[in-house]
Amino acid sequence: MQTEPPRIVRLVLVTRAGELLGALPPYPVATPWWQETGAVIQGARERFGIAVTVLRILATELPAPHGGGVTYLVEAEAPPPPGVAPWRGALDDHPLRQPWARPGGPSGDLAWADSVLRARGLSRTAPAEQIRSWNLSSVWRLRAGGQTFWLKHVPPFFGHEGALIARLAGGPVPALLGHDGRRILMPELPGEDLYHAELPILERLVALLVGLQRDTSRQVDELLGLGLPDFRGATLTRLIADAVERTPELSAGDRATLDGFVDGLPERFRRLAEAGLPDTLVHGDFHPGNARGDATSVALLDWGDSGVGHPLLDQPAFLTRVPPGAVGPLRSLWGRAWRVAVPGSDPERAAELLAPVAAARQAVIYRTFLDGIEPSEHPYHAKDVLEWLERTAEMVRWRP
């Protein structure tokens, strides 16, 4: 039997000025992830002979951000191609809509990138390639002067990313060709993404992060001034309590466990302070896939989730995405590195106290996403707050 492709897309076409042109018949694409635009664009070109730019999703059939039927709003040139049918849906506005999700928005981003390239004596040598469009970013690949560049535009809650990368220039972070508010233009880094890195490279990533955190531990006020969110004890306690309160889907048992956890957070953070590690830069999404490099250099990527808080908030997510045999050596390396950086500290005790806090912080992050995006984009993250709070409750029950 023939297996149906995981994602079936339908395109609603508008012009750059926002004029509705109609809708194309649905067609399958090979990649399941809703935010990936390449297969959608390729399918429109091959099946209907038109070039489109994906703006945003209008509707989805499934509650998870992959597979099923997905309707996209896309930008196309008039007149509409053969096969376009009338579309009776509503294209209303929303105050949380991102600039790149509006007709004309992507062309504005590309015009800005072109101006940055021109200032460096460069111009594009190929059409821009749209890679991703969703509530967390718009990403394009540009080619100019024999080089590849990446254009990224992020929402307000990630708006500090460009300023932070500029602040960390010279460290193990991407180079910036330019940044303007929430738009960033970066040259492509050499090497490859390190999703499948082996232990020596994984150890190098941990050492790089700890080094950055050690060096920025005395610049907390400066980091907060750049717009990084505050994940320190008092603020994070309030945010976790808010996430729990606003998640009515929690079972009675999990809610009771989490209410007790929240009540105990001030004492937990007091004991955490006794372990001796300072608040500092937190990457926020530290895992091997958010690093890129080769034999000579490695950089840590995607600083949109970054904030200020306990440095070991970054440990759990990393250790869950490495091979099981690497967990013990990496945990030991993390402890040794921090004992060298802060003599007399107890990073192992800190990691134990922080484990459920780190899980609850993930719920806070997804709550922030849902509060900052329009409702049509909620399916990307609708289940995440509940899932992370359930994980937190389970951790608290097993390891109070």
Side-chain angles (χ1 to χ4, degrees), residues 152-201:
K152 185 177 183 182
H153 195 164
V154 297
F157 47 80
F158 286 169
H160 54 276
E161 183 174 16
L164 177 62
I165 293 174
R167 167 62 182 79
L168 300 177
V173 298
L176 277 181
L177 202 67
H179 78 97
D180 174 31
R182 297 186 273 129
R183 293 189 287 209
I184 304 168
L185 187 63
M186 301 171 286
E188 184 169 71
L189 292 165
E192 59 185 14
D193 295 338
L194 299 176
Y195 285 99
H196 307 295
E198 297 184 351
L199 183 58
I201 296 297

mmCIF file of all heavy atoms in Angstrom, residues 152-201:
data_model
loop_
_atom_site.group_PDB
_atom_site.id
_atom_site.type_symbol
_atom_site.label_atom_id
_atom_site.label_comp_id
_atom_site.label_asym_id
_atom_site.label_seq_id
_atom_site.Cartn_x
_atom_site.Cartn_y
_atom_site.Cartn_z
ATOM 1 N N LYS A 152 18.089 36.474 9.305
ATOM 2 C CA LYS A 152 17.177 35.992 10.334
ATOM 3 C C LYS A 152 16.421 37.171 10.924
ATOM 4 O O LYS A 152 17.014 38.203 11.237
ATOM 5 C CB LYS A 152 17.968 35.269 11.429
ATOM 6 C CG LYS A 152 17.141 34.604 12.506
ATOM 7 C CD LYS A 152 18.068 33.862 13.478
ATOM 8 C CE LYS A 152 17.309 33.122 14.551
ATOM 9 N NZ LYS A 152 18.229 32.439 15.510
ATOM 10 N N HIS A 153 15.110 37.007 11.067
ATOM 11 C CA HIS A 153 14.259 38.016 11.701
ATOM 12 C C HIS A 153 13.488 37.300 12.796
ATOM 13 O O HIS A 153 12.905 36.236 12.561
ATOM 14 C CB HIS A 153 13.301 38.622 10.664
ATOM 15 C CG HIS A 153 12.636 39.880 11.100
ATOM 16 N ND1 HIS A 153 12.000 40.737 10.232
ATOM 17 C CD2 HIS A 153 12.476 40.444 12.330
ATOM 18 C CE1 HIS A 153 11.493 41.757 10.886
ATOM 19 N NE2 HIS A 153 11.766 41.602 12.171
ATOM 20 N N VAL A 154 13.506 37.840 14.002
ATOM 21 C CA VAL A 154 12.929 37.143 15.153
ATOM 22 C C VAL A 154 11.860 38.009 15.815
ATOM 23 O O VAL A 154 11.813 39.224 15.624
ATOM 24 C CB VAL A 154 14.023 36.766 16.181
ATOM 25 C CG1 VAL A 154 15.016 35.788 15.575
ATOM 26 C CG2 VAL A 154 14.733 38.000 16.712
ATOM 27 N N PRO A 155 10.979 37.395 16.628
ATOM 28 C CA PRO A 155 9.926 38.146 17.309
ATOM 29 C C PRO A 155 10.464 38.948 18.489
ATOM 30 O O PRO A 155 11.628 38.780 18.891
ATOM 31 C CB PRO A 155 8.968 37.047 17.777
ATOM 32 C CG PRO A 155 9.819 35.835 17.909
ATOM 33 C CD PRO A 155 10.869 35.944 16.851
ATOM 34 N N PRO A 156 9.652 39.799 19.078
ATOM 35 C CA PRO A 156 10.133 40.656 20.171
ATOM 36 C C PRO A 156 10.742 39.894 21.333
ATOM 37 O O PRO A 156 11.721 40.353 21.929
ATOM 38 C CB PRO A 156 8.874 41.422 20.594
ATOM 39 C CG PRO A 156 8.044 41.489 19.372
ATOM 40 C CD PRO A 156 8.266 40.176 18.668
ATOM 41 N N PHE A 157 10.195 38.723 21.689
ATOM 42 C CA PHE A 157 10.740 38.015 22.853
ATOM 43 C C PHE A 157 12.099 37.396 22.579
ATOM 44 O O PHE A 157 12.747 36.912 23.489
ATOM 45 C CB PHE A 157 9.744 36.966 23.388
ATOM 46 C CG PHE A 157 9.113 36.079 22.354
ATOM 47 C CD1 PHE A 157 9.784 34.987 21.843
ATOM 48 C CD2 PHE A 157 7.823 36.345 21.912
ATOM 49 C CE1 PHE A 157 9.190 34.161 20.896
ATOM 50 C CE2 PHE A 157 7.212 35.521 20.970
ATOM 51 C CZ PHE A 157 7.892 34.430 20.461
ATOM 52 N N PHE A 158 12.552 37.404 21.329
ATOM 53 C CA PHE A 158 13.925 37.016 20.977
ATOM 54 C C PHE A 158 14.738 38.227 20.511
ATOM 55 O O PHE A 158 15.839 38.076 19.986
ATOM 56 C CB PHE A 158 13.934 35.987 19.849
ATOM 57 C CG PHE A 158 13.522 34.597 20.237
ATOM 58 C CD1 PHE A 158 13.277 33.646 19.253
ATOM 59 C CD2 PHE A 158 13.375 34.220 21.560
ATOM 60 C CE1 PHE A 158 12.896 32.351 19.589
ATOM 61 C CE2 PHE A 158 12.991 32.933 21.906
ATOM 62 C CZ PHE A 158 12.758 31.998 20.905
ATOM 63 N N GLY A 159 14.192 39.415 20.696
ATOM 64 C CA GLY A 159 14.777 40.599 20.072
ATOM 65 C C GLY A 159 16.153 40.970 20.549
ATOM 66 O O GLY A 159 16.834 41.791 19.924
ATOM 67 N N HIS A 160 16.617 40.373 21.651
ATOM 68 C CA HIS A 160 17.952 40.675 22.171
ATOM 69 C C HIS A 160 19.054 39.888 21.478
ATOM 70 O O HIS A 160 20.237 40.112 21.750
ATOM 71 C CB HIS A 160 17.985 40.351 23.664
ATOM 72 C CG HIS A 160 17.547 38.944 23.970
ATOM 73 N ND1 HIS A 160 16.229 38.601 24.095
ATOM 74 C CD2 HIS A 160 18.252 37.794 24.147
ATOM 75 C CE1 HIS A 160 16.137 37.299 24.350
ATOM 76 N NE2 HIS A 160 17.349 36.789 24.374
ATOM 77 N N GLU A 161 18.699 38.944 20.580
ATOM 78 C CA GLU A 161 19.711 38.032 20.041
ATOM 79 C C GLU A 161 20.837 38.767 19.319
ATOM 80 O O GLU A 161 22.021 38.498 19.546
ATOM 81 C CB GLU A 161 19.070 37.005 19.107
ATOM 82 C CG GLU A 161 20.074 35.993 18.572
ATOM 83 C CD GLU A 161 19.440 34.887 17.752
ATOM 84 O OE1 GLU A 161 18.269 35.028 17.330
ATOM 85 O OE2 GLU A 161 20.119 33.871 17.518
ATOM 86 N N GLY A 162 20.493 39.694 18.436
ATOM 87 C CA GLY A 162 21.530 40.396 17.693
ATOM 88 C C GLY A 162 22.454 41.194 18.599
ATOM 89 O O GLY A 162 23.677 41.178 18.433
ATOM 90 N N ALA A 163 21.872 41.905 19.573
ATOM 91 C CA ALA A 163 22.681 42.701 20.490
ATOM 92 C C ALA A 163 23.601 41.818 21.327
ATOM 93 O O ALA A 163 24.756 42.175 21.606
ATOM 94 C CB ALA A 163 21.783 43.534 21.393
ATOM 95 N N LEU A 164 23.108 40.650 21.737
ATOM 96 C CA LEU A 164 23.943 39.753 22.532
ATOM 97 C C LEU A 164 25.089 39.197 21.708
ATOM 98 O O LEU A 164 26.237 39.153 22.176
ATOM 99 C CB LEU A 164 23.100 38.606 23.098
ATOM 100 C CG LEU A 164 23.902 37.556 23.890
ATOM 101 C CD1 LEU A 164 24.559 38.181 25.119
ATOM 102 C CD2 LEU A 164 23.010 36.392 24.287
ATOM 103 N N ILE A 165 24.815 38.770 20.474
ATOM 104 C CA ILE A 165 25.893 38.249 19.626
ATOM 105 C C ILE A 165 26.939 39.329 19.401
ATOM 106 O O ILE A 165 28.150 39.060 19.418
ATOM 107 C CB ILE A 165 25.323 37.722 18.296
ATOM 108 C CG1 ILE A 165 24.448 36.485 18.547
ATOM 109 C CG2 ILE A 165 26.454 37.364 17.334
ATOM 110 C CD1 ILE A 165 23.722 35.982 17.309
ATOM 111 N N ALA A 166 26.484 40.575 19.205
ATOM 112 C CA ALA A 166 27.443 41.675 19.049
ATOM 113 C C ALA A 166 28.268 41.854 20.318
ATOM 114 O O ALA A 166 29.485 42.089 20.257
ATOM 115 C CB ALA A 166 26.707 42.963 18.696
ATOM 116 N N ARG A 167 27.619 41.732 21.476
ATOM 117 C CA ARG A 167 28.331 41.873 22.761
ATOM 118 C C ARG A 167 29.365 40.769 22.948
ATOM 119 O O ARG A 167 30.431 40.993 23.543
ATOM 120 C CB ARG A 167 27.312 41.847 23.901
ATOM 121 C CG ARG A 167 27.886 41.670 25.298
ATOM 122 C CD ARG A 167 28.808 42.798 25.704
ATOM 123 N NE ARG A 167 29.371 42.593 27.014
ATOM 124 C CZ ARG A 167 30.392 41.779 27.290
ATOM 125 N NH1 ARG A 167 30.968 41.081 26.312
ATOM 126 N NH2 ARG A 167 30.848 41.669 28.529
ATOM 127 N N LEU A 168 29.090 39.565 22.445
ATOM 128 C CA LEU A 168 29.996 38.431 22.624
ATOM 129 C C LEU A 168 30.975 38.274 21.469
ATOM 130 O O LEU A 168 31.655 37.252 21.373
ATOM 131 C CB LEU A 168 29.178 37.142 22.767
ATOM 132 C CG LEU A 168 28.199 37.076 23.951
ATOM 133 C CD1 LEU A 168 27.422 35.765 23.912
ATOM 134 C CD2 LEU A 168 28.938 37.223 25.281
ATOM 135 N N ALA A 169 31.055 39.275 20.595
ATOM 136 C CA ALA A 169 31.944 39.192 19.430
ATOM 137 C C ALA A 169 33.361 38.833 19.854
ATOM 138 O O ALA A 169 33.885 39.348 20.843
ATOM 139 C CB ALA A 169 31.942 40.520 18.682
ATOM 140 N N GLY A 170 33.963 37.942 19.101
ATOM 141 C CA GLY A 170 35.289 37.453 19.435
ATOM 142 C C GLY A 170 35.249 36.162 20.222
ATOM 143 O O GLY A 170 36.259 35.475 20.344
ATOM 144 N N GLY A 171 34.075 35.821 20.747
ATOM 145 C CA GLY A 171 33.896 34.574 21.457
ATOM 146 C C GLY A 171 33.355 33.500 20.535
ATOM 147 O O GLY A 171 33.258 33.689 19.311
ATOM 148 N N PRO A 172 32.959 32.363 21.080
ATOM 149 C CA PRO A 172 32.486 31.248 20.252
ATOM 150 C C PRO A 172 31.030 31.433 19.823
ATOM 151 O O PRO A 172 30.150 30.638 20.155
ATOM 152 C CB PRO A 172 32.660 30.048 21.190
ATOM 153 C CG PRO A 172 32.467 30.610 22.553
ATOM 154 C CD PRO A 172 33.058 31.994 22.505
ATOM 155 N N VAL A 173 30.781 32.506 19.085
ATOM 156 C CA VAL A 173 29.439 32.831 18.602
ATOM 157 C C VAL A 173 29.552 33.180 17.119
ATOM 158 O O VAL A 173 30.646 33.439 16.616
ATOM 159 C CB VAL A 173 28.832 34.009 19.393
ATOM 160 C CG1 VAL A 173 28.673 33.658 20.863
ATOM 161 C CG2 VAL A 173 29.660 35.273 19.224
ATOM 162 N N PRO A 174 28.428 33.195 16.403
ATOM 163 C CA PRO A 174 28.488 33.574 14.991
ATOM 164 C C PRO A 174 29.002 35.003 14.818
ATOM 165 O O PRO A 174 28.813 35.859 15.682
ATOM 166 C CB PRO A 174 27.036 33.456 14.527
ATOM 167 C CG PRO A 174 26.383 32.562 15.518
ATOM 168 C CD PRO A 174 27.074 32.814 16.825
ATOM 169 N N ALA A 175 29.634 35.238 13.667
ATOM 170 C CA ALA A 175 29.999 36.603 13.302
ATOM 171 C C ALA A 175 28.750 37.326 12.813
ATOM 172 O O ALA A 175 27.819 36.711 12.298
ATOM 173 C CB ALA A 175 31.060 36.585 12.214
ATOM 174 N N LEU A 176 28.722 38.623 12.983
ATOM 175 C CA LEU A 176 27.607 39.443 12.502
ATOM 176 C C LEU A 176 28.080 40.312 11.346
ATOM 177 O O LEU A 176 29.078 41.034 11.460
ATOM 178 C CB LEU A 176 27.085 40.349 13.613
ATOM 179 C CG LEU A 176 26.097 39.785 14.630
ATOM 180 C CD1 LEU A 176 25.697 40.886 15.612
ATOM 181 C CD2 LEU A 176 24.873 39.218 13.955
ATOM 182 N N LEU A 177 27.354 40.241 10.232
ATOM 183 C CA LEU A 177 27.595 41.215 9.179
ATOM 184 C C LEU A 177 26.822 42.497 9.477
ATOM 185 O O LEU A 177 27.250 43.591 9.127
ATOM 186 C CB LEU A 177 27.172 40.635 7.823
ATOM 187 C CG LEU A 177 27.807 41.272 6.595
ATOM 188 C CD1 LEU A 177 29.296 40.960 6.570
ATOM 189 C CD2 LEU A 177 27.151 40.763 5.316
ATOM 190 N N GLY A 178 25.689 42.341 10.134
ATOM 191 C CA GLY A 178 24.901 43.490 10.542
ATOM 192 C C GLY A 178 23.712 43.047 11.361
ATOM 193 O O GLY A 178 23.270 41.900 11.265
ATOM 194 N N HIS A 179 23.195 43.931 12.203
ATOM 195 C CA HIS A 179 21.930 43.667 12.875
ATOM 196 C C HIS A 179 21.213 44.991 13.090
ATOM 197 O O HIS A 179 21.824 46.029 13.321
ATOM 198 C CB HIS A 179 22.138 42.899 14.187
ATOM 199 C CG HIS A 179 22.604 43.715 15.345
ATOM 200 N ND1 HIS A 179 21.752 44.221 16.304
ATOM 201 C CD2 HIS A 179 23.845 44.120 15.706
ATOM 202 C CE1 HIS A 179 22.443 44.895 17.207
ATOM 203 N NE2 HIS A 179 23.711 44.854 16.875
ATOM 204 N N ASP A 180 19.907 44.921 12.960
ATOM 205 C CA ASP A 180 19.066 46.104 13.049
ATOM 206 C C ASP A 180 17.809 45.700 13.798
ATOM 207 O O ASP A 180 16.916 45.061 13.236
ATOM 208 C CB ASP A 180 18.713 46.600 11.642
ATOM 209 C CG ASP A 180 17.714 47.750 11.663
ATOM 210 O OD1 ASP A 180 17.740 48.528 12.627
ATOM 211 O OD2 ASP A 180 16.904 47.843 10.728
ATOM 212 N N GLY A 181 17.764 46.036 15.084
ATOM 213 C CA GLY A 181 16.626 45.597 15.874
ATOM 214 C C GLY A 181 16.565 44.083 15.929
ATOM 215 O O GLY A 181 17.492 43.423 16.401
ATOM 216 N N ARG A 182 15.507 43.525 15.371
ATOM 217 C CA ARG A 182 15.304 42.080 15.428
ATOM 218 C C ARG A 182 15.792 41.355 14.182
ATOM 219 O O ARG A 182 15.583 40.160 14.036
ATOM 220 C CB ARG A 182 13.829 41.785 15.680
ATOM 221 C CG ARG A 182 13.360 42.332 17.029
ATOM 222 C CD ARG A 182 11.942 41.914 17.351
ATOM 223 N NE ARG A 182 10.941 42.800 16.807
ATOM 224 C CZ ARG A 182 9.900 42.408 16.081
ATOM 225 N NH1 ARG A 182 9.746 41.142 15.773
ATOM 226 N NH2 ARG A 182 9.015 43.270 15.651
ATOM 227 N N ARG A 183 16.441 42.072 13.262
ATOM 228 C CA ARG A 183 16.985 41.456 12.045
ATOM 229 C C ARG A 183 18.490 41.264 12.198
ATOM 230 O O ARG A 183 19.194 42.136 12.705
ATOM 231 C CB ARG A 183 16.678 42.307 10.821
ATOM 232 C CG ARG A 183 15.201 42.355 10.504
ATOM 233 C CD ARG A 183 14.919 43.010 9.170
ATOM 234 N NE ARG A 183 15.110 44.446 9.203
ATOM 235 C CZ ARG A 183 14.448 45.299 8.427
ATOM 236 N NH1 ARG A 183 13.551 44.853 7.562
ATOM 237 N NH2 ARG A 183 14.672 46.593 8.500
ATOM 238 N N ILE A 184 18.956 40.114 11.723
ATOM 239 C CA ILE A 184 20.359 39.748 11.836
ATOM 240 C C ILE A 184 20.830 39.218 10.490
ATOM 241 O O ILE A 184 20.123 38.435 9.845
ATOM 242 C CB ILE A 184 20.565 38.639 12.897
ATOM 243 C CG1 ILE A 184 19.997 39.044 14.254
ATOM 244 C CG2 ILE A 184 22.044 38.277 13.030
ATOM 245 C CD1 ILE A 184 19.928 37.895 15.236
ATOM 246 N N LEU A 185 22.027 39.611 10.064
ATOM 247 C CA LEU A 185 22.650 39.049 8.865
ATOM 248 C C LEU A 185 24.012 38.505 9.258
ATOM 249 O O LEU A 185 24.846 39.225 9.811
ATOM 250 C CB LEU A 185 22.795 40.109 7.768
ATOM 251 C CG LEU A 185 23.292 39.587 6.415
ATOM 252 C CD1 LEU A 185 22.290 38.603 5.820
ATOM 253 C CD2 LEU A 185 23.554 40.738 5.443
ATOM 254 N N MET A 186 24.234 37.221 8.973
ATOM 255 C CA MET A 186 25.443 36.526 9.411
ATOM 256 C C MET A 186 26.060 35.771 8.249
ATOM 257 O O MET A 186 25.354 35.148 7.455
ATOM 258 C CB MET A 186 25.106 35.510 10.517
ATOM 259 C CG MET A 186 24.459 36.093 11.748
ATOM 260 S SD MET A 186 23.851 34.789 12.881
ATOM 261 C CE MET A 186 22.393 34.228 11.975
ATOM 262 N N PRO A 187 27.382 35.778 8.138
ATOM 263 C CA PRO A 187 28.029 34.890 7.173
ATOM 264 C C PRO A 187 27.924 33.442 7.651
ATOM 265 O O PRO A 187 27.914 33.184 8.858
ATOM 266 C CB PRO A 187 29.486 35.366 7.171
ATOM 267 C CG PRO A 187 29.676 36.036 8.485
ATOM 268 C CD PRO A 187 28.344 36.610 8.874
ATOM 269 N N GLU A 188 27.830 32.526 6.715
ATOM 270 C CA GLU A 188 27.737 31.113 7.089
ATOM 271 C C GLU A 188 29.022 30.668 7.767
ATOM 272 O O GLU A 188 30.128 31.004 7.335
ATOM 273 C CB GLU A 188 27.476 30.246 5.862
ATOM 274 C CG GLU A 188 27.282 28.784 6.193
ATOM 275 C CD GLU A 188 26.773 27.989 5.012
ATOM 276 O OE1 GLU A 188 27.564 27.776 4.065
ATOM 277 O OE2 GLU A 188 25.598 27.599 5.026
ATOM 278 N N LEU A 189 28.869 29.905 8.831
ATOM 279 C CA LEU A 189 30.028 29.386 9.551
ATOM 280 C C LEU A 189 30.591 28.172 8.840
ATOM 281 O O LEU A 189 29.838 27.380 8.257
ATOM 282 C CB LEU A 189 29.620 28.998 10.969
ATOM 283 C CG LEU A 189 29.225 30.149 11.891
ATOM 284 C CD1 LEU A 189 28.494 29.616 13.109
ATOM 285 C CD2 LEU A 189 30.460 30.934 12.303
ATOM 286 N N PRO A 190 31.901 27.967 8.897
ATOM 287 C CA PRO A 190 32.471 26.764 8.303
ATOM 288 C C PRO A 190 32.066 25.521 9.087
ATOM 289 O O PRO A 190 31.670 25.602 10.253
ATOM 290 C CB PRO A 190 33.981 27.002 8.395
ATOM 291 C CG PRO A 190 34.147 27.965 9.543
ATOM 292 C CD PRO A 190 32.925 28.833 9.508
ATOM 293 N N GLY A 191 32.184 24.376 8.451
ATOM 294 C CA GLY A 191 31.923 23.113 9.141
ATOM 295 C C GLY A 191 30.507 22.641 8.959
ATOM 296 O O GLY A 191 29.854 22.898 7.940
ATOM 297 N N GLU A 192 29.994 21.976 9.989
ATOM 298 C CA GLU A 192 28.658 21.391 9.923
ATOM 299 C C GLU A 192 27.967 21.522 11.272
ATOM 300 O O GLU A 192 28.614 21.736 12.307
ATOM 301 C CB GLU A 192 28.754 19.913 9.535
ATOM 302 C CG GLU A 192 29.571 19.084 10.497
ATOM 303 C CD GLU A 192 29.745 17.645 10.019
ATOM 304 O OE1 GLU A 192 29.466 17.370 8.849
ATOM 305 O OE2 GLU A 192 30.170 16.806 10.841
ATOM 306 N N ASP A 193 26.640 21.411 11.258
ATOM 307 C CA ASP A 193 25.901 21.386 12.511
ATOM 308 C C ASP A 193 26.261 20.113 13.273
ATOM 309 O O ASP A 193 26.444 19.048 12.690
ATOM 310 C CB ASP A 193 24.397 21.431 12.244
ATOM 311 C CG ASP A 193 23.963 22.742 11.602
ATOM 312 O OD1 ASP A 193 24.691 23.740 11.744
ATOM 313 O OD2 ASP A 193 22.905 22.761 10.940
ATOM 314 N N LEU A 194 26.343 20.223 14.594
ATOM 315 C CA LEU A 194 26.972 19.174 15.402
ATOM 316 C C LEU A 194 25.967 18.282 16.129
ATOM 317 O O LEU A 194 26.244 17.796 17.224
ATOM 318 C CB LEU A 194 27.944 19.814 16.392
ATOM 319 C CG LEU A 194 29.084 20.604 15.735
ATOM 320 C CD1 LEU A 194 29.948 21.288 16.783
ATOM 321 C CD2 LEU A 194 29.944 19.700 14.858
ATOM 322 N N TYR A 195 24.816 18.037 15.495
ATOM 323 C CA TYR A 195 23.794 17.174 16.104
ATOM 324 C C TYR A 195 24.376 15.826 16.530
ATOM 325 O O TYR A 195 23.996 15.283 17.565
ATOM 326 C CB TYR A 195 22.656 16.924 15.117
ATOM 327 C CG TYR A 195 21.730 18.080 14.920
ATOM 328 C CD1 TYR A 195 21.868 18.936 13.824
ATOM 329 C CD2 TYR A 195 20.694 18.334 15.815
ATOM 330 C CE1 TYR A 195 21.012 20.000 13.625
ATOM 331 C CE2 TYR A 195 19.823 19.398 15.635
ATOM 332 C CZ TYR A 195 19.985 20.222 14.541
ATOM 333 O OH TYR A 195 19.133 21.288 14.360
ATOM 334 N N HIS A 196 25.277 15.273 15.736
ATOM 335 C CA HIS A 196 25.775 13.923 15.974
ATOM 336 C C HIS A 196 27.236 13.918 16.410
ATOM 337 O O HIS A 196 27.970 12.963 16.170
ATOM 338 C CB HIS A 196 25.591 13.083 14.715
ATOM 339 C CG HIS A 196 24.183 13.090 14.190
ATOM 340 N ND1 HIS A 196 23.127 12.548 14.904
ATOM 341 C CD2 HIS A 196 23.648 13.619 13.044
ATOM 342 C CE1 HIS A 196 22.009 12.713 14.212
ATOM 343 N NE2 HIS A 196 22.289 13.363 13.100
ATOM 344 N N ALA A 197 27.648 14.978 17.076
ATOM 345 C CA ALA A 197 29.040 15.087 17.514
ATOM 346 C C ALA A 197 29.398 13.988 18.516
ATOM 347 O O ALA A 197 28.555 13.553 19.312
ATOM 348 C CB ALA A 197 29.272 16.457 18.139
ATOM 349 N N GLU A 198 30.649 13.572 18.476
ATOM 350 C CA GLU A 198 31.139 12.576 19.421
ATOM 351 C C GLU A 198 31.702 13.266 20.658
ATOM 352 O O GLU A 198 31.808 14.494 20.724
ATOM 353 C CB GLU A 198 32.188 11.697 18.736
ATOM 354 C CG GLU A 198 31.597 10.899 17.570
ATOM 355 C CD GLU A 198 32.608 9.958 16.937
ATOM 356 O OE1 GLU A 198 33.810 10.037 17.288
ATOM 357 O OE2 GLU A 198 32.188 9.154 16.080
ATOM 358 N N LEU A 199 32.070 12.450 21.649
ATOM 359 C CA LEU A 199 32.382 12.970 22.973
ATOM 360 C C LEU A 199 33.426 14.092 22.981
ATOM 361 O O LEU A 199 33.217 15.097 23.674
ATOM 362 C CB LEU A 199 32.821 11.831 23.892
ATOM 363 C CG LEU A 199 33.114 12.223 25.340
ATOM 364 C CD1 LEU A 199 31.905 12.863 26.000
ATOM 365 C CD2 LEU A 199 33.569 10.991 26.132
ATOM 366 N N PRO A 200 34.543 14.001 22.264
ATOM 367 C CA PRO A 200 35.518 15.102 22.342
ATOM 368 C C PRO A 200 34.927 16.453 21.932
ATOM 369 O O PRO A 200 35.226 17.478 22.563
ATOM 370 C CB PRO A 200 36.632 14.651 21.385
ATOM 371 C CG PRO A 200 36.536 13.165 21.383
ATOM 372 C CD PRO A 200 35.070 12.866 21.469
ATOM 373 N N ILE A 201 34.093 16.463 20.898
ATOM 374 C CA ILE A 201 33.465 17.722 20.479
ATOM 375 C C ILE A 201 32.427 18.164 21.501
ATOM 376 O O ILE A 201 32.310 19.357 21.829
ATOM 377 C CB ILE A 201 32.830 17.574 19.090
ATOM 378 C CG1 ILE A 201 33.907 17.285 18.042
ATOM 379 C CG2 ILE A 201 32.060 18.834 18.718
ATOM 380 C CD1 ILE A 201 34.920 18.391 17.873
#
